[in-house]
């Protein structure tokens, strides 16, 4: 049997990617012993060495638990995405050794819907470009991505295939100045379209990240509403002692739960959850 990644890389890495995919997809159920080394060697037609290396890496990553004479059992691990890489799903996935994927549901020019128009400083119904994609990690659905771009930026989307990789990478290569963004995190119930794309029941809680991306001169050019399966991603906020964090209770136009304003710079990490809405102050980073 071929692994899920048959091109390039040492055999143990390709085996590890396939084993990880099986765990994340539920083919190796969580809490259930995985096949023995002998069974895996027979299935993949290889010696014990690469299989042992692959299983050892999965133990180190936390995907396998057990030992001391007991067979290892599968365990799902939720990848954590720091705000420093929140601008690019593709870049984040590759940085943690996962394979990003995307399926484009729609790219369309249409009138901006009221919320996007308000965020982007457009008149309601002004021409804009909508993009809807299903994003995956190692072929497992992870997130529904919905973005509305101002027309002069979004028009670039019609010149390339969004299924081929990073939209941000392509836009920046075409001279679009994506300089910084503001993110708001909360929890929402899966809509019928979310549920169909992600393979879950309507109403299931999803982790939502709303993003407003700006150029260097402060012009908003993208408003996004990304909805993650909580089992597939968490987010971290990084602060330093010389940074400033201000927390306040009460509602805002965007959220009705406690809100935290945080300026991001690398140091200690704080994990957010689906039950907490977190507004970050303008987060500046260079898009690579």
């Amino acid at each position: 049997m071929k692994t899920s990644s048959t091109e390039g890389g040492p055999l143990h890495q390709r085996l590890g990617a396939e084993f990880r995919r099986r765990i994340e997809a539920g083919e190796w159920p969580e809490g259930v012993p995985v096949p023995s080394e002998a069974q895996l060697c027979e299935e993949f037609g290889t010696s014990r060495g690469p299989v042992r290396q692959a299983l050892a890496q999965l133990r180190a990553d936390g995907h396998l638990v057990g030992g001391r004479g007991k067979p290892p059992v599968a365990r799902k691990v939720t990848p954590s995405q720091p705000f420093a890489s929140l601008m690019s799903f593709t870049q984040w996935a590759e940085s943690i050794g996962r394979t990003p994927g995307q399926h484009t549901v729609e790219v369309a020019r249409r009138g901006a819907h009221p919320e996007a128009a308000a965020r982007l400083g457009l008149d309601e119904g002004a021409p804009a470009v909508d993009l809807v994609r299903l994003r995956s990690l190692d072929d497992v659905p992870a997130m529904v991505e919905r973005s509305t771009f101002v027309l002069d930026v979004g028009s670039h989307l019609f010149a390339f295939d969004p299924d081929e990789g990073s939209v941000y990478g392509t836009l920046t290569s075409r001279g679009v100045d994506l300089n910084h963004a503001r993110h708001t995190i909360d929890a929402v119930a899966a809509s019928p379209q979310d549920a169909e794309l992600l393979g879950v029941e309507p109403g299931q809680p999803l982790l939502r990240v709303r993003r407003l991306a700006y150029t260097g001169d402060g012009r908003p050019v993208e408003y996004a509403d990304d909805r993650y399966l909580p089992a597939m991603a968490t987010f971290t906020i990084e602060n330093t002692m010389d940074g400033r964090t201000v927390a306040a209770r009460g509602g805002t136009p965007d959220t009705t739960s406690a809100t935290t304003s945080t300026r991001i710079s690398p140091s200690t990490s704080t994990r957010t959850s689906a039950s907490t809405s977190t507004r970050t102050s303008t987060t500046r980073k260079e898009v690579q």
Side-chain angles (χ1 to χ4, degrees):
M1 178 180 291
K2 294 182 179 180
T3 65
S4 61
S5 178
T6 58
E7 297 295 330
L11 178 58
H12 73 274
Q13 292 182 0
R14 290 182 280 137
L15 289 171
E18 172 62 15
F19 299 164
R20 188 183 302 112
R21 184 197 67 77
R22 293 183 179 188
I23 292 172
E24 296 295 346
E27 295 175 22
W28 288 357
E30 189 167 17
V32 175
V34 302
S36 67
E37 288 183 6
Q39 290 173 315
L40 293 171
C41 289
E42 180 179 357
E43 178 182 353
F44 290 95
T46 186
S47 63
R48 287 181 180 267
V51 170
R52 285 179 176 173
Q53 284 182 281
L55 294 176
Q57 184 58 57
L58 262 64
R59 283 183 182 275
D61 293 342
H63 286 89
L64 293 179
V65 295
R68 297 182 180 178
K70 297 181 180 180
V73 299
R75 175 175 175 266
K76 288 187 177 181
V77 176
T78 302
S80 179
Q81 181 175 2
F83 275 98
S85 63
L86 194 59
M87 293 284 279
S88 172
F89 180 94
T90 298
Q91 184 182 31
W92 165 64
E94 292 174 344
S95 74
I96 60 173
R98 310 294 286 275
T99 301
Q102 50 275 325
H103 167 68
T104 301
V105 178
E106 177 186 52
V107 182
R109 172 175 169 164
R110 61 165 57 95
H113 59 83
E115 184 173 9
R119 301 298 181 189
L120 294 171
L122 303 174
D123 292 332
E124 186 176 334
V129 176
D130 285 344
L131 171 67
V132 181
R133 296 196 296 177
L134 174 66
R135 307 305 304 269
S136 61
L137 291 174
D138 297 337
D139 297 323
V140 179
M143 180 259 281
V144 177
E145 175 185 75
R146 295 181 178 89
S147 292
T148 298
F149 293 90
V150 296
L151 185 60
D152 61 302
V153 172
S155 61
H156 292 288
L157 302 181
F158 297 107
F160 82 104
D161 183 357
D163 281 349
E164 292 300 316
S166 172
V167 166
Y168 273 20
T170 299
L171 291 177
T172 55
S173 73
R174 291 170 176 264
V176 177
D177 176 23
L178 294 171
N179 180 269
H180 59 279
R182 173 171 292 171
H183 311 279
T184 301
I185 298 178
D186 60 5
V188 294
S191 69
Q193 185 187 42
D194 295 333
E196 180 180 358
L197 292 172
L198 294 169
V200 299
E201 293 295 323
Q204 178 170 321
L206 300 177
L207 187 63
R208 179 171 66 170
V209 180
R210 285 173 288 175
R211 178 179 66 255
L212 189 59
Y214 298 84
T215 60
D217 60 5
R219 178 195 179 202
V221 292
E222 181 210 19
Y223 177 68
D225 182 317
D226 299 339
R227 301 185 180 194
Y228 291 79
L229 286 171
M232 295 300 292
T234 61
F235 297 88
T236 57
I237 303 172
E238 297 181 343
N239 304 309
T240 59
M241 292 297 292
D242 59 357
R244 184 181 180 187
T245 300
V246 180
R249 290 187 180 276
T252 72
D254 292 324
T255 64
T256 56
S257 57
T259 300
T260 302
S261 179
T262 307
R263 183 168 296 278
I264 307 304
S265 52
S267 186
T268 57
S269 296
T270 304
R271 188 176 302 277
T272 69
S273 67
S275 62
T276 301
S277 177
T278 303
R279 173 185 291 277
T280 66
S281 64
T282 300
T283 304
R284 299 180 183 273
K285 68 180 284 291
E286 295 298 326
V287 181
Q288 304 190 4

